[in-house]
Amino acid sequence: MTDMPVLRERINEVDCKIVELMADRLEIARQIGQYKMDNGIPIRDVAREELVFQKYRDNAEDLGISPDVAEAVCRILVKDSVDEQAANTPNTSGSKVIGIIGGKGRMGRWLDILLRGDGHRTIIVDKDTESTIEDCRDADIVIISTPIPTIKGIYAELDAICSEHTVLTDLASIKSSFYKDLKEMSQHRKVCSMHPMFASSDRSMYDRNLIMCDCGNSEALDTVRSIFDNKGANIITMEVEKHDRYMAYVLGMSHAINIAFFDSLVKSGFTYKELNSIASTTFRKSLDANKSVAFDDPVLYHDIQYLNENSKETWNIFYSCVTELKDASLKEDRGDFVDIMSKGREYFSE
């Protein structure tokens, strides 16, 4: 029987080979990135990525190892490759002067790092900065990254002082309180709106969704989009008036479900430690999402609920569904309960 020290040494040798192969793969990815850059090919090729993921799964199955583990490893490698290519792709939109209103906040700081890394010059406007909103007068782009209730007023202020060529945009999670103003403003000014569907802690944009909202000025939309192209993100364009109806579900309802879940746990009489110690796979996944929500910004989460003009409609649907589920769960006849789950399967199978 082989001794444990010998087996561990063999593991160490294999681990070294794995890391060396990772380095080789990354170097090839750099060369692919250079080829893409020279030939005007976008960094992301989602169809190709899916083929690579499936190949890992197929190979894993042939070798008797977990396809899920193989795919998870592959996704990390692909993300690393795309991030490397994005980092080494020069800015093709030209160096711009970009003002960030609220540039000392979490998302503002993230933007500042990203933009300066691409060779843009940033003007940071916040409570403790020397620069003021007046300094953005001749900026190429001004991005508003402040609490949602302040954005309408800041747009009005920028509209009054900025030159005609300046593009105005924002990062707000909810647009209900000002999107009509943007539609009106687009008649005389370059304006659009955007929404990063990820946290400022996500340094990589790989496979993150970035929503670009069309307010009626295509030039503004193209200008802002150009500074985020080839960063590995999924850029989705939609009309600004449609944004908040989507967010009522994607943000509002998902937040509400998580808050209701952990509020129920708080009122259950069981401690978190007790429940976590006997957690099922589903419960543990729910806890991970719950904790993420519980430790986020409650003021922002309230604004996402309160300031969305679609929230009442979504809450009515949510309340109706919970009531139906409650009734179906407490009946001996399983029919209604099975029907609810069957409809869910159909929905996710589209």
Side-chain angles (χ1 to χ4, degrees):
M1 184 176 178
T2 309
D3 290 340
M4 181 64 77
V6 175
L7 293 172
R8 283 180 173 159
E9 183 56 36
R10 285 171 60 189
I11 282 280
N12 289 340
E13 289 172 4
V14 172
D15 285 343
C16 286
K17 288 177 183 176
I18 290 172
V19 174
E20 287 172 7
L21 288 171
M22 287 170 62
D24 289 345
R25 190 185 195 284
L26 193 59
E27 177 54 37
I28 296 168
R30 288 191 189 101
Q31 293 174 29
I32 291 172
Q34 184 64 49
Y35 180 87
K36 289 176 179 176
M37 185 177 67
D38 293 343
N39 292 275
I41 300 171
I43 286 177
R44 285 292 302 282
D45 184 342
V46 177
R48 167 66 183 164
E49 288 174 16
E50 291 299 329
L51 287 174
V52 174
F53 298 150
Q54 190 57 51
K55 188 173 182 181
Y56 264 70
R57 294 188 69 87
D58 293 343
N59 288 344
E61 209 157 342
D62 291 343
L63 293 168
I65 62 177
S66 166
D68 290 342
V69 171
E71 183 180 341
V73 170
C74 182
R75 286 184 178 276
I76 292 169
L77 295 174
V78 170
K79 172 188 173 297
D80 198 32
S81 296
V82 172
D83 286 343
E84 182 70 19
Q85 291 173 8
N88 289 289
T89 299
N91 164 26
T92 56
S93 63
S95 180
K96 292 180 170 57
V97 177
I98 302 178
I100 306 175
I101 313 295
K104 291 293 185 181
R106 287 181 298 177
M107 191 56 78
R109 288 197 300 270
W110 175 84
L111 260 180
D112 183 37
I113 293 168
L114 175 76
L115 296 173
R116 284 191 292 108
D118 262 358
H120 301 294
R121 181 168 76 83
T122 58
I123 301 169
I124 304 301
V125 180
D126 216 318
K127 293 175 184 174
D128 303 322
T129 59
E130 291 183 10
S131 298
T132 68
I133 198 166
E134 291 282 345
D135 295 309
C136 297
R137 178 185 300 275
D138 295 312
D140 296 304
I141 302 172
V142 181
I143 302 172
I144 306 171
S145 179
T146 61
I148 301 168
T150 67
I151 291 177
K152 180 174 179 174
I154 293 173
Y155 263 122
E157 198 173 346
L158 288 168
D159 187 29
I161 66 171
C162 285
S163 63
E164 287 183 6
H165 84 274
T166 302
V167 176
L168 305 183
T169 189
D170 68 90
L171 303 179
S173 305
I174 298 298
K175 318 290 186 183
S176 289
S177 58
F178 60 85
Y179 78 84
K180 291 176 184 173
D181 300 84
L182 298 192
K183 294 279 287 184
E184 217 173 281
M185 200 183 296
S186 71
Q187 303 304 308
H188 66 270
R189 175 173 290 287
K190 298 172 187 175
V191 62
C192 66
S193 189
M194 57 179 168
H195 183 186
M197 300 298 291
F198 49 88
S200 57
S201 55
D202 296 333
R203 291 301 173 191
S204 168
M205 290 184 73
Y206 172 73
D207 208 28
R208 305 299 189 205
N209 293 332
L210 175 63
I211 298 174
M212 302 292 303
C213 293
D214 185 354
C215 301
N217 189 296
S218 59
E219 188 179 348
L221 201 67
D222 292 343
T223 300
V224 175
R225 181 181 179 126
S226 71
I227 65 176
F228 295 100
D229 269 341
N230 267 342
K231 298 295 180 189
N234 307 314
I235 301 180
I236 303 101
T237 302
M238 67 175 65
E239 294 170 356
V240 68
E241 55 266 39
K242 293 182 178 179
H243 174 273
D244 283 11
R245 187 147 195 273
Y246 285 115
M247 291 310 113
Y249 291 90
V250 174
L251 295 182
M253 184 176 284
S254 63
H255 292 171
I257 290 168
N258 279 281
I259 293 167
F261 192 108
F262 69 65
D263 193 37
S264 299
L265 299 184
V266 169
K267 293 168 180 170
S268 70
F270 295 110
T271 66
Y272 165 66
K273 188 175 180 180
E274 282 178 285
L275 293 176
N276 194 36
S277 68
I278 57 168
S280 65
T281 304
T282 302
F283 188 74
R284 185 157 285 145
K285 287 178 182 177
S286 297
L287 286 182
D288 287 342
N290 283 185
K291 282 194 292 183
S292 167
V293 170
F295 283 93
D296 216 325
D297 181 357
V299 174
L300 172 62
Y301 275 43
H302 177 264
D303 285 347
I304 286 170
Q305 299 286 346
Y306 180 70
L307 297 175
N308 191 334
E309 63 189 8
N310 302 278
S311 285
K312 188 174 288 187
E313 173 195 338
T314 314
W315 270 107
N316 288 340
I317 292 171
F318 181 39
Y319 184 78
S320 168
C321 290
V322 170
T323 303
E324 286 175 19
L325 179 59
K326 175 187 171 185
D327 292 344
S329 299
L330 299 178
K331 282 198 300 190
E332 185 177 356
D333 186 333
R334 301 186 183 96
D336 290 344
F337 191 93
V338 170
D339 186 51
I340 291 170
M341 291 195 66
S342 298
K343 287 175 181 174
R345 278 199 203 95
E346 288 173 19
Y347 181 84
F348 290 118
S349 298
E350 287 181 2

